Amino acid sequence: MSYWDPLPAVRAAESGPLPAPDGGTWLPSAEFRGRWWNPRPDRWAERDWRNVPGPFYGAGTDTCWMGRLIAPAHVLYDDEWGAEFVYRQPRDAAQALALLGAVAQDPMVGYACDGDDHWTPELVRDWWRERGRVREWAAALDRTWSVSSREEEREAAGGGREYVAYIDAALAGDLRHYLFWLSEGRPADPGEPLPALSPRGA
């Protein structure tokens, strides 16, 4: 599958009902629409190191553990403060809507969607080269939280397992498509050669 740009779908969804933590929907007041995304220029510098490369990332979010109630396939919590970060970028409109719903619940306005303006092929390759650090953290989170007495931590442990599985399998392909997107400004056509993540082509 080629790279899918989620930004148009997210922007289009801002004017409509958003997913809510209780499984329903809610309609934000008009003055808040369009104001959740990167209102501060220093968000990129503050991003959590566990964010996967892509347009969306968490940087100084709240610690209320709301994100996984709406977007468990994309949001995970750190184990220091419980702040949120993005461990998988959305791949279709439904996933983009779910992530937007999680973003809109953050009173700290700690999410941003300008990753495409900051990630470069070199930075993506640097992140991939150091992926073992992220994988080790996610595996340790699963080991610790899966036996927690707190139901919320046991649920979030599943996100740690998913992150490990993603790093081990599909992430390399997704990042190669993202490298093409960053370099060419368009998705790769079927069968078109993709950039390598490392000198060895891994």
Side-chain angles (χ1 to χ4, degrees):
M1 178 184 292
S2 295
Y3 180 77
W4 180 77
D5 180 12
L7 295 181
V10 168
R11 294 305 189 192
E14 285 187 318
S15 61
L18 299 178
D22 63 2
T25 61
W26 66 291
L27 185 64
S29 299
E31 64 265 25
F32 292 110
R33 296 173 201 167
R35 295 178 55 193
W36 300 302
W37 300 105
N38 205 24
R40 289 172 40 195
D42 54 353
R43 280 297 186 215
W44 172 254
E46 297 174 354
R47 72 191 184 284
D48 191 289
W49 58 274
R50 288 159 282 221
N51 284 289
V52 71
F56 304 108
Y57 56 93
T61 70
D62 70 355
T63 58
C64 297
W65 287 42
M66 298 292 284
R68 287 188 58 80
L69 297 178
I70 302 173
H74 306 281
V75 173
L76 193 51
Y77 313 126
D78 72 43
D79 55 344
E80 292 88 16
W81 305 101
E84 300 178 3
F85 64 91
V86 176
Y87 77 93
R88 185 187 289 118
Q89 300 288 331
R91 297 297 305 273
D92 58 37
Q95 293 179 7
L97 180 62
L99 183 54
L100 177 59
V103 167
Q105 293 292 323
D106 177 27
M108 302 301 292
V109 197
Y111 281 94
C113 67
D114 63 349
D116 290 358
D117 297 332
H118 299 284
W119 285 107
T120 65
E122 292 75 19
L123 287 176
V124 172
R125 290 184 174 104
D126 288 345
W127 189 96
W128 177 253
R129 189 162 43 248
E130 299 296 325
R131 69 191 181 279
R133 179 188 179 202
V134 181
R135 188 190 187 285
E136 181 180 354
W137 173 84
L141 184 82
D142 177 27
R143 290 193 300 270
T144 302
W145 281 1
S146 63
V147 295
S148 171
S149 61
R150 294 183 56 201
E151 180 180 354
E152 297 88 349
E153 290 186 347
R154 294 195 303 273
E155 187 284 326
R161 288 192 296 276
E162 290 184 13
Y163 203 1
V164 170
Y166 185 41
I167 291 171
D168 288 348
L171 179 55
D174 287 348
L175 289 183
R176 292 184 69 194
H177 278 285
Y178 188 51
L179 285 175
F180 190 99
W181 170 263
L182 290 176
S183 299
E184 304 297 330
R186 63 175 178 83
D189 292 329
E192 194 167 9
L194 298 174
L197 278 172
S198 72
R200 297 179 181 175

